[in-house]
Amino acid sequence: MFDVNLFNGAQIVDQMIDFVALYLLTSQSAKTRFYGFSLGLVGFAPATFLLVVTQMWWRVLCLPVWLAIELKGALGNWRAAQGLET
């Protein structure tokens, strides 16, 4: 049976954010891909909550690496949208 609580709500929100961000990241337009990266950064909050609640806090140690990759991609897409050389 499905129980409505904060954990299940965070799972649903996390999956919806991830789905939309992945859809935006497949775009040909650099501006749209930038929105996908930005939405991916927003998805950072419910994903971190889920890792802590499920007692997989040790995976939180990998989040700085993920954040660095996300920011590097967002910066590259921003430069592409501005027409700057990468």
Side-chain angles (χ1 to χ4, degrees):
M1 177 175 221
F2 182 72
D3 185 26
V4 178
N5 56 29
L6 188 59
F7 179 77
N8 289 339
Q11 283 182 312
I12 292 168
V13 169
D14 183 49
Q15 291 300 309
M16 289 172 47
I17 290 172
D18 292 344
F19 178 76
V20 174
L22 183 62
Y23 177 75
L24 293 175
L25 284 170
T26 59
S27 173
Q28 293 290 323
S29 167
K31 188 174 186 179
T32 305
R33 283 193 313 267
F34 180 72
Y35 290 135
F37 277 106
S38 300
L39 194 57
L41 287 174
V42 170
F44 183 73
T48 304
F49 171 76
L50 289 172
L51 287 175
V52 171
V53 168
T54 56
Q55 297 179 358
M56 291 193 284
W57 54 267
W58 53 272
R59 289 191 178 194
V60 175
L61 299 175
C62 299
L63 292 178
V65 174
W66 175 85
L67 187 60
I69 292 169
E70 191 78 22
L71 290 174
K72 183 177 179 180
L75 182 61
N77 277 309
W78 179 78
R79 286 181 178 162
Q82 300 297 318
L84 301 174
E85 187 175 318
T86 55

